[in-house]
Amino acid sequence: MTRISDNPYVPRKAVLLSRKELSPTCTLYRFRGEGRGPFSFTPGQFLLLTVPGVGEAPFSISSAPSEDGTFEFCIKRVGRVTDHLHRSAREGDVFGIRGPYGRGFPVEEMKGKDVLFIAGGIGYAPLRSVLLHLLKERESVGQISFLYGVNTPVELIFRDEVREQAEAGTVHYWISLMEGDLDDFPAPWSRGLVTDFIPRVPADPENAIALLVGPPVMYRTAVEKLFEKGFREENIFLSLERRMECGIGKCGHCAIGYRYTCVHGPVFPYFEAITLTEAI
Amino acid sequence: MLVRSAPPEILETLFSRLSGTGKVYGPVRQGKAVRFLPLSSISDAELSYQRTVLPPKKFFLPPGETLLTFAGRGEWRVPDEEDERIVLFGLHPCDLHGIEILTVFMSDAVPDSPFLRRREKAFIVGLSCLPDDKCFCRSMGCQTSEKGFDIFITLLGDRVLLRAGSPEGYRLLRMLDGEAREPSREDRERLLNFHRLRNESFTLSLDITDLPEVLDLEEESQVWEELGNRCFTCGNCSIVCPTCSCFNVVDIPSFASGETKRVRTWDSCLFRSYALVAGGHNFREKRAQRVKNRYYHKQKGFVEGFGKPSCVGCGRCISSCPAGIDVVSVFKRLTEAYAK
């Protein structure tokens, strides 16, 4: 029998360092994890955050891995736990975290390649972790293109960062809106779907990796257009969202086929995702 | 493996030895139902029982288990470990396989220590049985057990055979040497006759050899839609299943104590809320999708992940289904459709 180690259901403490409203529904929370050695993770991995006395929910990490034990979540107000966070979380409050768990994005594989990001709405949050990580060593990768789709301009989160990166020319942004306008923005934008940009983005499909985070409907269209462009299955990665109670492949809720989104994902190469019933 | 033959009275001696080591649970009849309940003597146990309502998983994954208690802001603690040793007496081979499957699953990747601690502490006594019309354990390779028990008892009329399956079981069996002996030639004949009788008594069977491959082809089968129309998605089949272990985690505040308990409770993939995420999207909105998911998980998903199905053929899902759905005929319909 496997040796029984620590109880995986016991969170460790994390202190809220700051919070910043990004949009009427999204807030960026910065934490410092306490105890138990250095805190390392791969972009795309997630943590389970406990709001003591309220509940626990999984969130992708939005910041790049760093040495100082801090990390960020960009959290949208959609349920009980997130609602409580938005209403009550104050600097200095103590929360619980478990993880990091799951498989992240293949950052090592990106070296020397063009990287094409495709984000729908809050999907920007986990991709931001990859992006900030790559920007630390900008020359390690080729061209970085970022297709970013939102419904309305107010939902365009991390707007200042986006603007800065676009102006510096380190990231080529293409922004789509369903309604409204972006005045005086240093990146091409248009009305429509984020996937509309795919045919126009310059990328060498032989030497590029595409990273997708958004709703399932976005995945279907995006993958189709990436194929038309010449991308291969093994160079497309996407992050899947499922209900999770445990984060360690036990509660069953996130199972897709025999895979557990929390253990084998949340990031899947497209080839694996299509072999899973109901995945996308 | 140490095997001993003894008269049935040895079970009383065995019981008194066991009750000295921990609390003994065994099959007890309550009206029409048999349940695993505390035994105060061997005569409380119904040794010829068919199947209990709930499988023994309830001892390792309790229906409601407190994982953490939150007291005040930013403080939490783990409940004290239960010290008491439990002895499970009279588990059929299918249930022993169910515990083995759960143990493999719970040990995978990040081990579930609350489950595994309880399993490690339990002493398990297996018991032979004869099938009824809902048993198909033989089709799942679960009609006999080679592991997962400390002692296994085979009832052979006026003799019983006792097999040791662990060092602790071995030591206990050695202590009974005064009342037991090496199996005689006659004991061996009785055992072979018992095997023959058991094997001939099966009326239900299912050939699962190529089932995962058939399931690959039958994702769009009409069978799932029809099944979705019949199934109430009540979740009985998962609750009574020896290998179903899905759970929810909920934080329950107490206004009296000011504390909040984080409790894990049994869940079922048949419930509508199972794949519902914050924001309202449901990945398996339709009943047909949920029923199909359960069948695929048992006979395809688990096979891909762990090399065998997560079904032991105990028949509980058949006997507990209010819609009269029977897993064997569902899979047979699929394989027959495939054969046409």
Side-chain angles (χ1 to χ4, degrees), chain A residues 9 242-243 250 252-253 258, chain B residues 108 112 248 267 273-274 304:
Chain A
Y9 297 105
R242 287 297 184 276
R243 183 175 156 194
K250 301 291 182 272
H253 288 89
Y258 73 100
Chain B
D108 188 50
D112 189 297
N248 267 328
D267 197 6
S273 60
Y274 187 82
E304 287 176 37

Side-chain angles (χ1 to χ4, degrees), chain A:
Chain A
M1 197 179 286
T2 311
R3 284 326 307 163
I4 301 163
S5 55
D6 288 350
N7 185 332
Y9 297 105
V10 183
R12 61 164 141 166
K13 289 182 179 177
V15 177
L16 180 62
L17 299 178
S18 63
R19 56 178 288 171
K20 182 183 170 192
E21 316 297 320
L22 298 174
S23 80
T25 54
C26 290
T27 303
L28 184 69
Y29 299 88
R30 184 168 186 78
F31 291 91
R32 170 175 281 119
E34 301 202 328
R36 278 195 244 170
F39 183 81
S40 62
F41 62 91
T42 308
Q45 283 195 300
F46 67 94
L47 294 166
L48 285 120
L49 178 69
T50 283
V51 179
V54 178
E56 190 182 47
F59 299 102
S60 291
I61 303 170
S62 301
S63 52
S66 72
E67 305 292 313
D68 65 356
T70 65
F71 58 90
E72 292 172 339
F73 291 132
C74 168
I75 294 174
K76 189 172 178 179
R77 190 173 185 171
V78 283
R80 215 166 56 86
V81 172
T82 55
D83 193 48
H84 203 276
L85 268 176
H86 277 258
R87 281 189 287 112
S88 324
R90 301 278 172 272
E91 280 174 30
D93 284 356
V94 176
F95 294 83
I97 50 166
R98 296 194 294 121
Y101 290 134
R103 173 167 61 166
F105 287 102
V107 284
E108 287 306 308
E109 275 185 51
M110 296 174 202
K111 289 201 168 136
K113 293 182 182 166
D114 290 345
V115 185
L116 172 58
F117 290 85
I118 305 175
I122 189 81
Y124 189 92
L127 287 177
R128 177 176 176 258
S129 177
V130 187
L131 181 67
L132 296 183
H133 178 69
L134 297 181
L135 290 180
K136 281 185 185 172
E137 284 180 72
R138 179 64 189 84
E139 24 346 300
S140 68
V141 293
Q143 177 148 272
I144 300 178
S145 307
F146 207 126
L147 314 188
Y148 183 10
V150 291
N151 286 318
T152 61
V154 75
E155 291 168 40
L156 191 74
I157 52 174
F158 299 105
R159 188 186 292 230
D160 295 343
E161 278 178 28
V162 171
R163 181 185 287 275
E164 221 169 89
Q165 293 154 3
E167 277 170 354
T170 50
V171 183
H172 297 288
Y173 275 99
W174 309 64
I175 292 162
S176 72
L177 302 164
M178 294 309 284
E179 52 189 78
D181 300 294
L182 277 182
D183 293 327
D184 186 31
F185 205 76
W189 66 271
S190 69
R191 298 268 183 86
L193 298 171
V194 68
T195 48
D196 295 343
F197 289 122
I198 293 174
R200 290 157 53 194
V201 173
D204 172 14
E206 292 295 313
N207 191 40
I209 279 190
L211 314 176
L212 286 62
V213 186
V217 59
M218 184 193 96
Y219 291 150
R220 284 190 284 270
T221 318
V223 168
E224 208 172 284
K225 296 196 170 180
L226 287 170
F227 284 156
E228 284 169 19
K229 212 174 166 63
F231 272 83
R232 283 197 298 255
E233 283 92 341
E234 58 268 38
N235 292 330
I236 302 172
F237 294 83
L238 38 87
S239 181
L240 299 179
E241 183 208 6
R242 287 297 184 276
R243 183 175 156 194
M244 291 177 191
E245 299 287 325
C246 73
I248 54 172
K250 301 291 182 272
C251 80
H253 288 89
C254 73
I256 312 174
Y258 73 100
R259 296 292 211 165
Y260 291 89
T261 312
C262 67
V263 174
H264 304 107
V267 175
F268 289 95
Y270 179 72
F271 178 72
E272 278 181 36
I274 45 168
T275 61
L276 304 173
T277 309
E278 302 167 351
I280 53 174

Side-chain angles (χ1 to χ4, degrees), chain B residues 31-264:
Chain B
K32 281 185 179 172
V34 178
R35 297 187 169 88
F36 289 118
L37 294 171
L39 300 177
S40 50
S41 80
I42 190 74
S43 59
D44 290 348
E46 177 154 320
L47 295 179
S48 60
Y49 79 104
Q50 206 65 51
R51 63 177 63 76
T52 55
V53 178
L54 289 180
K57 71 177 176 188
K58 67 178 181 179
F59 295 105
F60 309 119
L61 186 72
E65 173 186 8
T66 300
L67 294 173
L68 292 173
T69 302
F70 295 89
R73 291 180 77 85
E75 293 299 327
W76 52 85
R77 59 185 153 79
V78 185
D80 294 336
E81 221 177 293
E82 307 118 35
D83 291 326
E84 197 185 34
R85 177 78 194 271
I86 62 164
V87 177
L88 301 184
F89 186 93
L91 272 54
H92 290 162
C94 58
D95 279 342
L96 297 177
H97 280 276
I99 295 171
E100 284 297 291
I101 287 171
L102 277 184
T103 305
V104 167
F105 175 73
M106 289 296 193
S107 307
D108 188 50
V110 181
D112 189 297
S113 59
F115 176 97
L116 295 171
R117 278 209 188 90
R118 291 194 194 95
R119 170 63 192 95
E120 224 176 35
K121 271 200 290 196
F123 188 94
I124 295 180
V125 181
L127 180 67
S128 65
C129 50
L130 289 171
D132 70 1
D133 60 345
K134 297 179 183 68
C135 294
F136 59 104
C137 53
R138 198 183 179 198
S139 304
M140 301 295 133
C142 297
Q143 81 278 25
T144 60
S145 269
E146 295 312 314
K147 58 178 185 172
F149 58 84
D150 295 283
I151 289 180
F152 193 93
I153 299 167
T154 306
L155 302 172
L156 301 171
D158 54 4
R159 298 299 289 181
V160 297
L161 284 191
L162 301 122
R163 278 195 290 162
S166 72
E168 212 184 340
Y170 180 88
R171 285 192 292 276
L172 183 54
L173 220 48
R174 281 259 107 118
M175 282 191 244
L176 303 175
D177 263 354
E179 293 177 52
R181 56 164 163 77
E182 284 273 326
S184 64
R185 184 184 171 81
E186 200 187 0
D187 291 329
R188 287 157 214 241
E189 273 170 22
R190 284 182 199 196
L191 182 66
L192 292 180
N193 282 334
F194 166 75
H195 288 158
R196 195 173 306 121
L197 173 64
R198 183 197 60 208
N199 293 347
E200 284 167 358
S201 302
F202 283 99
T203 55
L204 198 57
S205 71
L206 173 69
D207 183 0
I208 57 165
T209 320
D210 298 311
L211 194 51
E213 199 178 341
V214 171
L215 288 174
D216 261 346
L217 289 168
E218 297 300 336
E219 294 223 19
E220 306 303 324
S221 168
Q222 194 55 34
V223 166
W224 306 120
E225 209 52 53
E226 289 169 26
L227 204 55
N229 289 334
R230 282 176 66 196
C231 171
F232 301 124
T233 65
C234 68
N236 265 9
C237 52
S238 349
I239 300 304
V240 302
C241 177
T243 71
C244 271
S245 58
C246 287
F247 58 83
N248 267 328
V249 178
V250 281
D251 284 17
I252 303 169
S254 157
F255 293 108
S257 67
E259 292 188 333
T260 298
K261 284 190 190 313
R262 175 164 294 171
V263 181
R264 72 165 157 186

